[in-house]
Amino acid sequence: MERGKMVYEGKAKRVYEVAQPDAYLVEYKDDATAFNGEKRGSIAGKGEINNRLSAIFFQMLEKRGVRTHFLGHVSAREMLVRRVRIIPLEVVTRNIAAGSLAKRLGLEEGGKLSSPVVEFYLKDDALGDPLINRSHALALAIATREQMDELEQSALMVNEILRAFLLEKGLLLVDFKLEYGVLPDGRIVLADEISPDTCRLWDVNTNEKLDKDRFRRDLGKVEEAYHEVLSRVEAGGTL
Ligand code: TMP
């Protein structure tokens, strides 16, 4: 597929215009960053794996009634998506204490949470993506009350679907980050990506980390972890 103008380059993806006016081409890169870009590196094969995994997850979610931006597979590193205006929020859902939640609240990593936690972070690199609450989002006119409700309900629904799906593959969905976009007609759709870059995934038996924390925390076997997730997700069918 012919690429038009590049409209966005992020840390892990590039987005291009295409002839189809309501679509974008997304190219997944091997580049990896952490800590707001302070740590930089590359994970061989990550672009292809994240493209493949995101496509599988988006198709699986669509089948179960979650509207996403996914339109189709293009090539090993590329997918076609709907053009949306990205809502500048990172919607993080957590099932088990880990990462910044464990740190902020003094919880042990791996500690049980009685119910899933949904958090909103403002997408702003200069500020380091600060945690905000719903009233901040309303006050900053980032989203309406109804849209915030929809984001939270959608994140919880995605959590239930993904958690069950991954558990069957021997993966514990510890936490994950979603981004949403708005279509020209005002409807909200799930956008961005779902991959080991944006999820914490632990082996259900050993709690071994099989996600980007291996890169963030210099745990080694980074590429192997991404390959392991893909092969487990693809084993036994995906839909
Ligand atoms: P955190 O514990 O560092 O706040 O991360 C929560 C989840 O969000 C985790 O699954 C990783 C994901 N995440 C991203 O996708 N992008 C980011 O920039 C950060 C900080 C976390």
Side-chain angles (χ1 to χ4, degrees):
M1 181 174 297
E2 198 161 326
R3 293 177 184 175
K5 195 177 89 182
M6 185 170 76
V7 292
Y8 170 82
E9 176 158 17
K11 297 174 191 118
K13 296 187 289 297
R14 295 189 190 94
V15 179
Y16 298 89
E17 287 180 351
V18 285
Q20 193 179 326
D22 59 352
Y24 282 135
L25 186 80
V26 177
E27 180 198 12
Y28 285 75
K29 303 192 283 187
D30 286 351
D31 298 352
T33 66
F35 314 118
N36 203 15
E38 264 174 51
K39 180 182 171 85
R40 283 166 188 280
S42 166
I43 301 172
K46 175 170 86 77
E48 291 191 16
I49 291 175
N50 285 0
N51 183 38
R52 199 162 175 79
L53 281 171
S54 289
I56 290 169
F57 292 142
F58 284 139
Q59 285 172 285
M60 196 266 296
L61 288 165
E62 286 273 0
K63 272 207 148 189
R64 289 160 175 73
V66 178
R67 220 171 22 235
T68 80
H69 71 159
F70 182 75
L71 288 173
H73 173 80
V74 175
S75 73
R77 282 177 185 278
E78 297 168 317
M79 64 168 60
L80 196 68
V81 303
R82 286 176 218 280
R83 271 191 204 199
V84 295
R85 176 182 64 78
I86 292 286
I87 300 172
L89 292 175
E90 300 201 338
V91 183
V92 170
T93 305
R94 304 177 185 269
N95 297 305
I96 296 170
S100 70
L101 179 79
K103 198 169 171 191
R104 189 179 323 116
L105 300 186
L107 304 173
E108 197 177 328
E109 190 155 80
K112 192 172 149 31
L113 298 170
S114 301
S115 56
V117 172
V118 180
E119 298 171 335
F120 300 98
Y121 294 82
L122 179 64
K123 265 172 73 70
D124 186 324
D125 283 343
L127 296 176
D129 297 344
L131 177 68
I132 63 168
N133 66 23
R134 295 163 59 99
S135 78
H136 290 119
L138 301 188
L140 298 176
I142 290 167
T144 64
R145 197 178 295 277
E146 292 69 31
Q147 287 175 326
M148 293 304 289
D149 286 342
E150 189 176 338
L151 295 182
E152 180 163 348
Q153 278 161 21
S154 171
L156 288 170
M157 181 170 167
V158 170
N159 183 43
E160 290 313 312
I161 297 169
L162 261 189
R163 183 154 70 148
F165 175 83
L166 289 166
L167 198 56
E168 281 194 12
K169 314 287 186 180
L171 294 167
L172 219 48
L173 180 61
V174 173
D175 55 35
F176 60 101
K177 184 265 296 181
L178 300 175
E179 294 185 27
Y180 289 85
V182 184
L183 292 169
D185 66 8
R187 284 181 303 163
I188 290 178
V189 295
L190 182 59
D192 194 51
E193 69 177 276
I194 305 176
S195 73
D197 274 14
T198 61
C199 301
R200 283 197 175 93
L201 302 167
W202 295 354
D203 178 87
V204 71
N205 295 314
T206 64
N207 278 359
E208 186 188 5
K209 297 183 197 320
L210 295 170
D211 57 60
K212 194 177 164 189
D213 270 349
R214 301 205 71 86
F215 169 81
R216 295 187 188 100
R217 303 179 186 189
D218 295 320
L219 300 176
K221 293 194 180 166
V222 183
E223 280 86 4
E224 288 88 338
Y226 280 71
H227 279 284
E228 177 66 22
V229 171
L230 180 64
S231 73
R232 287 197 197 187
V233 165
E234 288 190 326
T238 53
L239 302 177

